[in-house]
Amino acid sequence: MSTPSPSLAGVAETSLGVAALRALESSREDRLFDDPYAERIKQAADGNGYWDTAPTGWPGFAALLTEQVAARTRYFDEVLLKAANEGCEQVVLLASGMDARAYRLDWPDWTRVFEIDVAEVLAFKSAVLKDAEPTCELVEVATDLRLDWPRALREAGFEPGVPTAWLMEGILYALTPEAADGLLGRVTSVSAPGSVVTFDHLPDNPALRAARAGISAELVNMWVGGPEGEPEPWLAKHGWTTQARDVCEVAAEYGRPAPAAFDPAREGTGPGWLGTARLEKAE
């Protein structure tokens, strides 16, 4: 049985580009992480001719984000595993895309990983990885984050009373401030004390806009910015204690240069953050 052609659009389509960047990072001798499944996903998309019509602007856009994707992937790997080992028995990957953490990370035995995304995305990845064994209990939840996804999550077996590690990777930029508030509000409503949320926040900047313009008008308009201002006050409004770090600082700790789109030494760039927040236990 052949792998279904990826008929993805918008934010879902970018998940294939992220998989290609993760495959590239995994091929380096000094890689920050190893994701063998990313190459399989990339090849499946290649085999269906997905990249045959890729815009000429893709290489430039990818170059701006390569080091950011590498640093954030390693950062999120570490945060999620630490949270799981410290008592978060559930992990929820919001808009999971082509994320293969359920297969490639060494999860504690009790961990349940819930992947939330639209059915087309989950079906494509499942077909590509059909012979791979998850290292945890994997639960796919086919729904849209614009719908009542907490209900779908609970119906899939999620327990709101159990501390949970949440991942918001590569999605806040595609939300308006109001939509970002709504998403975090829903996460908070089903989070037990001791839960953790980890995220990246990438406000738009001229370098990113120019690179996106070389791809499509849709991609230009899709980047609407997410929460306004710095991350800590935004999460604090919802009861989360947050540590947000400049992505260039995190990359430097991993021995990497500042990601091009966020390098203050380059013209037209802006800030970018990687962060982790905790819903504190009651005294």
Side-chain angles (χ1 to χ4, degrees):
M1 180 178 176
S2 61
T3 302
S5 298
S7 55
L8 313 178
V11 176
E13 183 178 13
T14 67
S15 66
L16 293 173
V18 171
L21 294 180
R22 286 180 175 153
L24 179 64
E25 176 66 24
S26 296
S27 71
R28 294 178 55 150
E29 290 187 3
D30 64 341
R31 57 185 172 268
L32 298 184
F33 58 88
D34 186 22
D35 185 352
Y37 305 103
E39 180 63 28
R40 292 173 60 173
I41 291 167
K42 176 181 178 296
Q43 288 183 4
D46 287 344
N48 283 297
Y50 187 75
W51 296 111
D52 291 349
T53 57
T56 56
W58 264 115
F61 184 62
L64 282 179
L65 293 177
T66 295
E67 293 292 357
Q68 189 267 346
V69 169
R72 83 178 186 190
T73 301
R74 170 72 172 269
Y75 175 86
F76 290 146
D77 286 356
E78 293 176 346
V79 170
L80 292 173
L81 283 177
K82 183 174 186 290
N85 280 295
E86 292 180 350
C88 288
E89 299 179 13
Q90 301 174 136
V91 177
V92 180
L93 311 180
L94 295 165
S96 58
M98 300 300 146
D99 193 310
R101 289 185 173 92
Y103 299 87
R104 66 179 181 81
L105 295 186
D106 186 16
W107 297 104
D109 292 341
W110 57 81
T111 310
R112 302 180 76 193
V113 173
F114 295 84
E115 294 186 345
I116 299 181
D117 215 317
V118 295
E120 294 83 358
V121 170
L122 295 176
F124 176 73
K125 184 170 65 176
S126 293
V128 174
L129 304 183
K130 61 182 180 295
D131 60 344
E133 288 292 332
T135 57
C136 58
E137 181 182 349
L138 173 60
V139 182
E140 294 181 348
V141 184
T143 189
D144 192 307
L145 291 183
R146 293 169 293 188
L147 304 177
D148 186 4
W149 60 263
R151 177 180 177 180
L153 188 60
R154 289 192 298 267
E155 290 175 349
F158 175 84
E159 299 179 52
V162 175
T164 301
W166 300 86
L167 175 62
M168 298 191 292
E169 180 175 20
I171 57 175
L172 290 180
Y173 72 85
L175 302 176
T176 64
E178 295 75 18
D181 276 342
L183 176 63
L184 184 57
R186 284 180 163 182
V187 167
T188 305
S189 72
V190 290
S191 292
S195 293
V196 170
V197 60
T198 187
F199 61 92
D200 58 338
H201 180 31
L202 312 174
D204 204 2
N205 64 51
L208 285 169
R209 280 196 298 275
R212 298 198 311 278
I215 299 174
S216 71
E218 179 190 17
L219 198 57
V220 172
N221 297 330
M222 188 174 63
W223 204 295
V224 294
E228 296 176 337
E230 297 189 4
E232 288 98 331
W234 174 59
L235 282 112
K237 290 190 303 182
H238 293 267
W240 297 81
T241 302
T242 308
Q243 180 187 35
R245 303 182 61 198
D246 187 284
V247 66
C248 298
E249 175 188 331
V250 176
E253 287 190 2
Y254 294 144
R256 292 298 178 83
F262 312 100
D263 184 354
R266 295 169 60 102
E267 185 177 353
T269 63
W273 292 278
L274 294 170
T276 302
R278 181 176 293 275
L279 196 62
E280 298 298 340
K281 296 180 180 178
E283 296 293 336

